[in-house]
């Protein structure tokens, strides 16, 4: 697609192709924290890669697996790296699960009671463009990257969770 060739920052090298994200997040609006899991369907692009990197700031990984097998991982200030199993090759499609937790960050914006505004309601919303989604979901986060996604959002009973897309239901 010629429109992707729009300058030096039009694309970034990667070792996998992200096909689908399915994330589940529990919000604590009073403490401004999240706890989550993300399941990602990936197709491996690079046989030589020893690790699978995921953009992740303000997030602490608590567990990781590939195809339901727990795997070692490491992190720095910007990414979480999962050790790629030796038997996973270019062209293989795998399911990656990452459990994580975090606090307020530049990808999420929080409001609530404060001095002078004691009746202000609790609210949290995301503003992910152009590269801020990785502050609340470990993922390949690049402005022109596309993947399908599904979300499950857990909030206190007195609150309402909303999202883009097709509404599939709510439960207590």
């Amino acid at each position: 697609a010629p429109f992707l060739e729009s300058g030096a920052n039009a694309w970034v090298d990667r070792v996998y192709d992200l096909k689908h994200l399915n994330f589940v997040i529990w919000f604590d609006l009073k403490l401004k924290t999240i706890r989550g899991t993300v399941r990602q369907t990936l197709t491996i692009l690079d046989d030589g890669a020893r690790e699978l990197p995921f953009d992740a700031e303000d997030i602490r990984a608590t567990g990781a697996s590939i195809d339901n097998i727990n795997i070692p991982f490491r992190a720095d200030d910007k990414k979480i790296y999962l050790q790629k199993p030796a038997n996973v090759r270019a062209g293989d499609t795998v399911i990656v699960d990452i459990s994580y937790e975090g606090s307020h960050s530049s990808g999420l914006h929080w409001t609530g009671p404060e001095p002078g505004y004691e009746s202000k309601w609790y609210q949290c919303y995301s503003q992910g463009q152009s590269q801020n989604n990785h502050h609340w979901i470990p993922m390949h986060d690049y402005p022109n990257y596309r993947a399908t996604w599904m979300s499950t959002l857990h909030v206190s009973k007195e609150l309402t969770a909303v999202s883009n897309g097709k509404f599939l239901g709510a439960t207590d």
Side-chain angles (χ1 to χ4, degrees):
F3 60 87
L4 291 178
E5 302 299 326
S6 58
N9 295 320
W11 202 253
V12 64
D13 288 337
R14 63 202 198 289
V15 300
Y16 58 82
D17 185 19
L18 172 61
K19 300 292 189 179
H20 182 74
L21 288 151
N22 184 352
F23 56 92
V24 179
I25 300 179
W26 289 262
F27 292 86
D28 186 324
L29 276 74
K30 292 181 182 176
L31 296 177
K32 298 180 182 177
T33 61
I34 58 170
R35 180 175 45 89
T37 61
V38 60
R39 171 167 278 190
Q40 302 181 54
T41 304
L42 315 174
T43 299
I44 304 301
L45 300 175
D46 184 351
D47 264 339
R50 298 172 77 159
E51 296 179 312
L52 303 177
F54 297 86
D55 299 314
E57 291 184 67
D58 305 316
I59 294 173
R60 186 178 74 80
T62 58
S65 67
I66 294 179
D67 291 337
N68 293 315
I69 298 171
N70 291 336
I71 57 159
F73 62 91
R74 67 181 182 87
D76 61 25
D77 291 344
K78 304 254 183 209
K79 293 185 184 291
I80 297 169
Y81 302 88
L82 278 58
Q83 183 177 319
K84 183 180 75 122
N87 65 333
V88 173
R89 307 309 251 168
D92 290 348
T93 297
V94 296
I95 304 295
V96 172
D97 291 297
I98 301 173
S99 300
Y100 62 95
E101 55 190 22
S103 59
H104 63 284
S105 66
S106 63
L108 294 176
H109 302 271
W110 308 80
T111 65
E114 57 185 273
Y117 300 95
E118 287 77 11
S119 62
K120 192 175 189 180
W121 61 85
Y122 286 100
Q123 177 177 298
C124 176
Y125 65 92
S126 66
Q127 177 61 43
Q129 66 189 47
S130 69
Q131 289 176 274
N132 283 326
N133 288 317
H134 70 276
H135 290 272
W136 55 284
I137 304 171
M139 62 186 294
H140 176 72
D141 193 10
Y142 204 73
N144 65 354
Y145 201 80
R146 305 291 181 259
T148 59
W149 59 274
M150 180 175 173
S151 65
T152 303
L153 309 173
H154 295 269
V155 297
S156 299
K157 189 173 183 160
E158 69 273 6
L159 300 173
T160 301
V162 297
S163 178
N164 294 1
K166 182 179 179 182
F167 178 66
L168 297 179
T171 58
D172 283 344

